[in-house]
Amino acid sequence: MQTVAPERRKASRPRADALRNRERIVTAAREMFVELGPDVPLDEIARRAGVGNATVYRNFPDRDALVREVVCSVMDRTARAAEDALAETGDAFEALERFVHTAADERISALCPMFAGTFDEHHPDLEAVRTRVERLVQEIMDRAKAAGQLRSDVGFGDLMLVAAQLSRPPAGAACLSADRFVHRHLQLFLDGLRAPARSPLPGTPVTLEDLRRA
């Protein structure tokens, strides 16, 4: 007697309301991590997202999973902003500008402290999105240099370090009160990256390898 293999059930797609809840949790977590740091209680995040505690834990089994999702989503949006700018205009320097300003709006620099402590910064999801951002920004910088738009003595690390420093609120300053200065100062920095350079930079360009060693 021939046995019939059981029919394999297709994995069901998450419902639209479940996806919306997940997005609301990630958005609320990003806001509260920026305002209060990575140790904010998950119950408070659930309250701001307008969902129950069980919904948070159903989507994210622990704090590290939520932190990782927040960081990945922020980095993904900044990468897409640069890709969109490059596709729309073909202008590498404009794509670079959009990446930097979007990263500031996403408060990517405020999330940097989350890589300290027990958080697994080498998780495959995080490594994948970080590699994508690094590759994209380096490609845009190379194209801008080849077009004579970007000064040749600037490295990937120079861009990332200064952009992070300028978009992070000064010590003792409230995040929202410093917002009105961020894009002004970032644009001053970006204008200083344009070729031809007015003066040589001391030292050597900061590379991606330098950032990783740090």
Side-chain angles (χ1 to χ4, degrees):
M1 182 175 178
Q2 186 177 6
T3 58
V4 179
E7 183 181 353
R8 297 183 65 181
R9 296 180 60 186
K10 292 183 179 179
S12 59
R13 284 187 170 184
R15 298 196 317 266
D17 59 340
L19 291 175
R20 282 194 297 270
N21 282 341
R22 185 179 178 89
E23 290 172 2
R24 288 163 67 183
I25 293 166
V26 173
T27 298
R30 183 183 70 88
E31 293 171 354
M32 299 194 77
F33 289 158
V34 170
E35 294 169 15
L36 304 171
D39 296 327
V40 61
L42 297 185
D43 292 352
E44 294 298 321
I45 293 173
R47 186 174 294 111
R48 177 167 302 192
V51 301
N53 294 355
T55 303
V56 173
Y57 287 105
R58 187 161 54 247
N59 282 276
F60 305 102
D62 54 40
R63 180 181 299 275
D64 278 2
L66 178 54
V67 171
R68 182 168 58 252
E69 181 69 16
V70 168
V71 174
C72 285
S73 67
V74 165
M75 295 179 72
D76 183 65
R77 282 194 295 272
T78 57
R80 278 190 279 116
E83 288 172 335
D84 291 346
L86 201 55
E88 289 166 12
T89 69
D91 187 303
F93 200 92
E94 184 175 325
L96 195 65
E97 288 182 316
R98 192 178 299 190
F99 167 79
V100 170
H101 285 293
T102 301
D105 283 336
E106 291 288 344
R107 301 187 185 280
I108 196 168
S109 62
L111 300 178
C112 291
M114 294 184 185
F115 292 103
T118 61
F119 182 64
D120 180 13
E121 61 181 284
H122 300 296
H123 188 279
D125 291 348
L126 189 57
E127 289 277 15
V129 71
R130 183 164 49 200
T131 299
R132 178 188 169 208
V133 170
E134 291 169 352
R135 183 173 59 246
L136 173 65
V137 175
Q138 188 63 65
E139 177 189 346
I140 290 173
M141 292 182 71
D142 290 343
R143 290 177 62 169
K145 287 180 181 180
Q149 297 174 301
L150 178 65
R151 54 189 298 164
S152 61
D153 56 352
V154 172
F156 175 90
D158 294 313
L159 175 79
M160 301 305 290
L161 280 174
V162 179
Q165 290 168 357
L166 290 178
S167 59
R168 184 179 298 178
C175 289
L176 296 180
S177 67
D179 274 354
R180 57 196 174 114
F181 306 121
V182 168
H183 291 288
R184 176 182 177 87
H185 295 160
L186 283 173
Q187 194 58 51
L188 282 171
F189 163 63
L190 287 164
D191 286 348
L193 295 182
R194 285 190 178 273
R198 296 291 298 271
S199 58
L201 293 176
T204 58
V206 181
T207 66
L208 175 58
E209 289 70 27
D210 291 331
L211 286 185
R212 285 177 172 165
R213 282 197 296 270

